[in-house]
Amino acid sequence: MRIRSYILPVVLALLVHICVVLLLVPHWFQQKQDPRQTPRHIQATMIDLKSLATEVSNQQQIAEAKEEAAQ
């Protein structure tokens, strides 16, 4: 067999491999994008700190009154 009989198949094989590599290269270098995480829905309530402080002091006064009554 002559060497010339191998030239065409080798060139075609190289072209096919080059095309496959060129098609795959963009996938290799794409950065992975983080999937967007959807936030969980929560039910929030607004708390007034002044009323909370007065409620706590009222509870303390009630507790002190009960202690005095118990003694």
Side-chain angles (χ1 to χ4, degrees):
M1 295 190 132
R2 295 184 183 171
I3 196 161
R4 288 186 182 187
S5 64
Y6 288 109
I7 291 177
L8 184 62
V10 168
V11 170
L12 290 177
L14 284 174
L15 287 175
V16 168
H17 282 84
I18 290 171
C19 290
V20 168
V21 168
L22 288 176
L23 288 173
L24 294 177
V25 165
H27 296 289
W28 290 337
F29 293 110
Q30 281 182 348
Q31 294 180 355
K32 287 186 178 180
Q33 296 177 353
D34 294 332
R36 290 190 177 188
Q37 295 179 353
T38 55
R40 294 181 185 169
H41 295 288
I42 57 172
Q43 235 178 351
T45 56
M46 190 169 194
I47 299 174
D48 185 18
L49 293 178
K50 290 180 184 176
S51 66
L52 182 63
T54 57
E55 185 178 327
V56 169
S57 65
N58 288 341
Q59 287 178 357
Q60 288 175 350
Q61 288 175 358
I62 292 171
E64 289 173 4
K66 285 182 181 179
E67 287 177 9
E68 289 177 10
Q71 291 178 356

